[in-house]
Amino acid sequence: MLVESPPEPRAETASAPPNRRAAMRAAGLLVSVGLLTLVALASIAIGAKELSLAQVWHGLFEETGTYGDVVVGERISRTLLGLLAGAALGLAGAVLQALTRNPLADPGLLGINAGASASVVTAITYFGVTSLTGYVWFAFLGSAAVGALVWFLGGSRGATPVRLALAGTAISAALYGYLQAVMIMDGAALSKMRFWTVGSLASATDETIKQVLPFLVVGTVVALLLARPLNAVAMGDDTARALGADLNRTRALSMAAATVLCGAATAACGPIVFIGLMVPHVVRSFTGPDLRWILPYATVLSPVLLLGADVIGRVVARPAELQVGIVTAILGGPVFIFLVRRRRTAQL
């Protein structure tokens, strides 16, 4: 398990005047918001079903009940869920990378995705749950339960980054083994789970968004408020204590925020990989290690990646579509290899 401190800022960034650096980062954040707006509009206008610009316009601003209006309405829900889930996964990844002091960590490291998946397959197999509404609550409860278990096994108040990572990895392996065993023995569960487990925005509804929105709002607020204490934690335990940071409280709140964010996003969309790994890592390369900038950037740019991947999946396989979880895995694999090789080269 690779555990190390975040990289130091680049020399040219560190040598720039503080006011200039802050202005550049603020301008970059505004540009990121503009990019997110463009990708969101593309998500509404472009899809597996081709629509004219007139149909998209009518669907957005006029309710006439036509085929195009219905499609646009579905895409709006899909886009909103992509915005929320992408922001949650990116923010959770940034928090976990700071918490574990591992720049290659992602939300799956602590077993949150595995907990959600195992809970949903249990609900399908043993409780007869068939609706997406039921999946959301079982997935969220599974994520929360695993998050609490990882915190307990990691040492609770004495938890360290290494213990948390090891506990999450062990629990993930056990739960994925259980998941595969149940799905092999139960054909019905396999049929119902196969689309949910790859991650998709296709089943997005207004009801799903309403169910997960309160959790995402609370998790986002808590995570953003943790930026300053996480900056201290990222410097090491001794330094953090010297700066007056409460390590136990910061780690507990970070675990809770990451669990809520990733659990709610996974409950609504299924487990989507690499978003929480790639975006915070890339953001850190131009913001430096300051989480007061990493967290807002990750919140804005993660939905850009998720919605962009979703649009690609809808276009490349017309009239069918590839689930967004498949597209992010295809894009994320090479990027992950590149990041690992770059870090290894930098250490030589």
Side-chain angles (χ1 to χ4, degrees), residues 176-221:
Y176 278 126
Y178 163 78
L179 178 68
Q180 295 300 320
V182 172
M183 291 175 67
I184 289 173
M185 292 187 295
D186 189 336
L190 175 60
S191 178
K192 294 173 182 176
M193 281 288 293
R194 58 180 179 159
F195 292 110
W196 188 85
T197 53
V198 298
S200 175
L201 300 176
S203 300
T205 64
D206 292 340
E207 185 60 31
T208 302
I209 294 172
K210 290 178 182 178
Q211 289 178 346
V212 300
L213 183 60
F215 299 106
L216 294 177
V217 170
V218 171
T220 299
V221 171

Side-chain angles (χ1 to χ4, degrees), residues 85-109:
L89 292 172
L91 194 54
V95 168
L96 290 177
Q97 287 176 12
L99 176 66
T100 61
R101 295 201 290 273
N102 182 352
L104 298 180
D106 76 328
L109 180 69

Side-chain angles (χ1 to χ4, degrees), residues 91 94 231 280 283-284 287-299:
L91 194 54
N231 272 340
V283 164
R284 193 180 295 109
T287 64
D290 191 346
L291 284 154
R292 292 174 297 176
W293 289 103
I294 292 175
L295 296 184
Y297 265 98
T299 303

Side-chain angles (χ1 to χ4, degrees), residues 210-342:
K210 290 178 182 178
Q211 289 178 346
V212 300
L213 183 60
F215 299 106
L216 294 177
V217 170
V218 171
T220 299
V221 171
V222 172
L224 292 175
L225 291 176
L226 286 171
R228 191 177 295 275
L230 278 174
N231 272 340
V233 171
M235 297 178 185
D237 291 1
D238 293 338
T239 303
R241 291 191 185 95
L243 293 174
D246 188 328
L247 292 176
N248 292 326
R249 183 177 65 181
T250 299
R251 286 173 178 157
L253 288 176
S254 298
M255 275 289 298
T259 298
V260 169
L261 288 169
C262 188
T266 303
C269 309
I272 298 176
V273 297
F274 286 117
I275 299 291
L277 165 66
M278 287 191 293
V279 176
H281 196 88
V282 172
V283 164
R284 193 180 295 109
S285 68
F286 58 84
T287 64
D290 191 346
L291 284 154
R292 292 174 297 176
W293 289 103
I294 292 175
L295 296 184
Y297 265 98
T299 303
V300 174
L301 290 178
S302 295
V304 172
L305 177 58
L306 183 59
L307 289 176
D310 190 43
V311 171
I312 291 172
R314 284 184 262 170
V315 171
V316 297
R318 282 177 173 170
E321 65 177 73
L322 289 176
Q323 281 80 8
V324 68
I326 297 175
V327 179
T328 58
I330 293 173
L331 296 175
V335 173
F336 180 76
I337 294 172
F338 169 76
L339 293 176
V340 172
R341 287 184 61 84
R342 190 180 71 168

